[in-house]
Amino acid sequence: MDLTTDDDVLAAVGPRLRVLRRDRGITLADLATRTGVSESTLSRLESGQRRPTLELLLPLARIYDVPLDDLVGAPRTGDPRIHLKPIRRFGMTFVPLSRRPGGVHAFKMIIPAGPEPLEPTPQTHEGFEWLYVLSGRLRLVIGERDLTLPPGEAAEFDTSLPHWLGSADGGAVELLILFGLQGIRAHVRTDPHRPSRAQNPR
């Protein structure tokens, strides 16, 4: 039997919002600019001094890219399916496979076929990444190492090292990849107001 009251659920919203904002590396001032909600209101909402309303939570759910149910900690309705919304960046497709806010996120990454393999354009960011090749031949460049991974091979690496992913032979590649928050920002949620550091996310 669930003894959690509505007041308990609402009281947990503020701390959850604060964790999400800090995980995303967003200040209250930035959040106020992006949502149109005043900084003082956002601060009171996070501290529990302001009762969460749909009008306040909807823009936050959009900014954090999480379902509204996750913001309020609503129980799942019993449907375990994840409604996939592909994200296209730098000519690649990222299909989210997980939906919990914060922490590590799983994606299916699809590198399309091209007339010829691309030249590596390595990048760096904080964190670690893990990947598993489903199909195709993946070229993985990490620092001075240049590797080719066939289907069934996995890799884990420190993303503070210059790294790049691409097709080894110009054919399509599909892989599963786990991103931390820094990886999501670097490869999937690039700020559209900031110029990319490279034409390819790797």
Side-chain angles (χ1 to χ4, degrees):
M1 180 177 178
D2 187 1
L3 300 179
T4 303
T5 67
D6 290 346
D7 287 340
D8 292 332
V9 172
L10 292 175
V13 172
R16 187 176 293 111
L17 292 174
R18 181 181 291 111
V19 168
L20 273 171
R21 179 176 59 79
R22 290 177 176 174
D23 281 348
R24 300 294 196 272
I26 302 174
T27 65
L28 280 173
D30 290 338
L31 192 59
T33 299
R34 296 170 67 178
T35 62
V37 179
S38 72
E39 189 174 341
S40 61
T41 296
L42 292 170
S43 177
R44 291 169 58 210
L45 186 62
E46 289 188 356
S47 66
Q49 298 175 25
R50 175 69 182 262
R51 192 176 182 87
T53 64
L54 189 60
E55 183 181 9
L56 292 173
L57 294 179
L58 280 175
L60 293 173
R62 284 194 292 268
I63 293 298
Y64 295 139
D65 192 24
V66 297
L68 189 60
D69 285 354
D70 285 352
L71 288 187
V72 298
R76 298 295 178 192
T77 59
D79 186 349
R81 293 174 297 180
I82 298 174
H83 301 286
L84 308 179
K85 295 176 63 177
I87 302 165
R88 291 176 175 83
R89 294 287 186 273
F90 309 100
M92 300 182 185
T93 301
F94 298 83
V95 182
L97 302 177
S98 58
R99 59 185 175 186
R100 70 183 184 86
V104 175
H105 284 250
F107 290 84
K108 180 180 181 181
M109 180 177 172
I110 303 169
I111 303 172
E116 59 184 22
L118 297 174
E119 286 298 314
T121 52
Q123 286 195 3
T124 63
H125 58 85
E126 296 178 10
F128 284 82
E129 287 180 17
W130 178 94
L131 59 85
Y132 176 85
V133 182
L134 295 170
S135 64
R137 291 169 56 81
L138 177 73
R139 183 181 179 188
L140 173 61
V141 177
I142 306 174
E144 300 298 321
R145 303 190 68 181
D146 194 334
L147 308 170
T148 297
L149 279 64
E153 287 206 2
E156 181 181 19
F157 53 92
D158 183 342
T159 54
S160 65
L161 297 172
H163 61 283
W164 178 88
L165 299 180
S167 173
D169 53 16
V173 183
E174 295 188 6
L175 58 146
L176 297 178
I177 190 163
L178 298 182
F179 286 129
L181 289 172
Q182 294 293 339
I184 293 174
R185 292 193 192 103
H187 305 307
V188 180
R189 296 178 182 159
T190 301
D191 188 338
H193 302 294
R194 295 182 181 177
S196 172
R197 289 186 297 173
Q199 294 180 349
N200 188 292
R202 302 288 175 174

